[in-house]
Amino acid sequence: MAQSEGPAIALVTGANRGIGLAIARALKADGFHVIVTYRTGKAPEGFTGVVMDVTSTTSVEAAFSEIEEKFGIPEVIVSNAGITRDTLVMRMSDEDFTDVVEANLTGAFRVARRATRGLLKLKRGRLIFVGSVVGALGSAGQVNYSASKSGLVGMARSLARELGSRSITANVVAPGFVETDMTAELDEKRRIEIANAVPLGRFCSPEEIADVVAFLASKKASYITGAVIPIDGGLGMGN
Ligand code: NDP
């Protein structure tokens, strides 16, 4: 397993678009060698790309082996890949529920478990999970998604306790509503309702999420672990 003398390696899952791509750009600007994982299409211009489907242990294993062999051990791991399958609970099928948990929670577990192998060797590292404000607030029509996002909090806090003595931190960022393909599905009426419910009165940009993730990845955040950091314009405050 190679560990180059070059810049530290950061891995971002689901980073071919949306919040993940903004995070990849911010980490690159901070000097990391950023590895972008993508499931469909191709890696964005200017990034090293590796194929990874977080719903497959084999795919996660193959991606990490490839990265370690070619570049070295990733020391910042951002679990960003996620899906929604919104519908009211009465209409939510078993698959609607389990597919979302499988991608958002079990997927993040697979990535963290595999990443830990390298981080224990390095005796340092940052596990950063992209959660959501709805993990604490709940959300009508998102029983599956909110369950997956609250699950990330328990998982990150357990990782923080398990790995803290090796200088490995585990934190969650909890975005509110962000302008990406995921929220582009909302109709105009719902978008206005949501914006009106946010104290800052607007949606978030992907770059505003990326800046906080870059902070958590930086030396400045070395004593933060087990935290859930809201980036929600005040929508979830008090929870
Ligand atoms: P997008 O739908 O724009 O992008 C989702 C990304 O996840 C894509 O790169 C997608 O890959 C990838 N992905 C989905 N399933 C898998 C999988 N099984 N394996 C690997 N990659 C996968 O979403 P956002 O950028 O909006 O969201 C990113 C994260 O932020 C998600 O975890 C989401 O829950 C969270 N979030 C988003 C909010 C928002 O308002 N947008 C608010 C709060 C949290 P592909 O292109 O191949 O589909």
Side-chain angles (χ1 to χ4, degrees):
M1 188 187 288
Q3 187 63 14
S4 70
E5 292 302 310
I9 299 168
L11 171 71
V12 188
T13 68
N16 51 324
R17 59 194 171 102
I19 294 171
L21 179 55
I23 293 170
R25 287 182 175 138
L27 292 175
K28 189 176 180 187
D30 281 356
F32 286 96
H33 176 188
V34 180
I35 316 277
V36 158
T37 81
Y38 63 103
R39 179 181 56 153
T40 57
K42 53 184 181 135
E45 274 295 301
F47 287 96
T48 306
V50 172
V51 172
M52 184 197 285
D53 182 337
V54 299
T55 63
S56 157
T57 300
T58 311
S59 173
V60 171
E61 175 62 39
F64 269 89
S65 297
E66 184 183 338
I67 293 162
E68 288 168 350
E69 207 172 292
K70 287 189 184 158
F71 311 107
I73 300 170
E75 67 178 79
V76 171
I77 293 93
V78 185
S79 254
N80 165 78
I83 59 168
T84 49
R85 201 161 298 165
D86 299 353
T87 189
L88 296 174
V89 66
M90 295 281 283
R91 293 192 199 130
M92 191 173 284
S93 67
D94 283 7
E95 288 72 31
D96 290 334
F97 190 88
T98 54
D99 287 357
V100 170
V101 171
E102 178 65 16
N104 299 4
L105 180 58
T106 316
F109 159 71
R110 287 188 186 94
V111 171
R113 178 180 58 186
R114 182 59 182 79
T116 299
R117 203 190 292 172
L119 298 181
L120 288 174
K121 287 194 178 116
L122 292 177
K123 297 194 177 62
R124 64 176 185 274
R126 302 285 161 86
L127 296 167
I128 303 168
F129 300 92
V130 180
S132 168
V133 66
V134 305
L137 267 190
S139 170
Q142 292 194 307
V143 163
N144 48 2
Y145 182 79
S146 57
S148 74
K149 294 300 187 181
S150 2
L152 287 177
V153 175
M155 188 169 78
R157 288 183 166 158
S158 300
L159 290 163
R161 291 190 188 280
E162 200 170 314
L163 304 172
S165 65
R166 312 293 174 91
S167 301
I168 299 164
T169 67
N171 292 292
V172 177
V173 293
F177 288 85
V178 187
E179 296 284 5
T180 67
D181 294 345
M182 196 175 265
T183 49
E185 289 168 12
L186 298 165
D187 65 42
E188 195 50 30
K189 185 169 162 275
R190 183 78 187 112
R191 292 174 68 83
I192 292 166
E193 273 170 16
I194 291 167
N196 286 340
V198 177
L200 287 180
R202 61 173 177 85
F203 279 41
C204 184
S205 73
E207 291 72 27
E208 288 172 305
I209 307 299
D211 284 343
V212 179
V213 172
F215 165 70
L216 285 173
S218 76
K219 284 202 175 71
K220 290 176 183 164
S222 51
Y223 205 60
I224 300 176
T225 195
V228 180
I229 303 195
I231 320 166
D232 60 7
L235 179 63
M237 65 184 160
N239 287 280

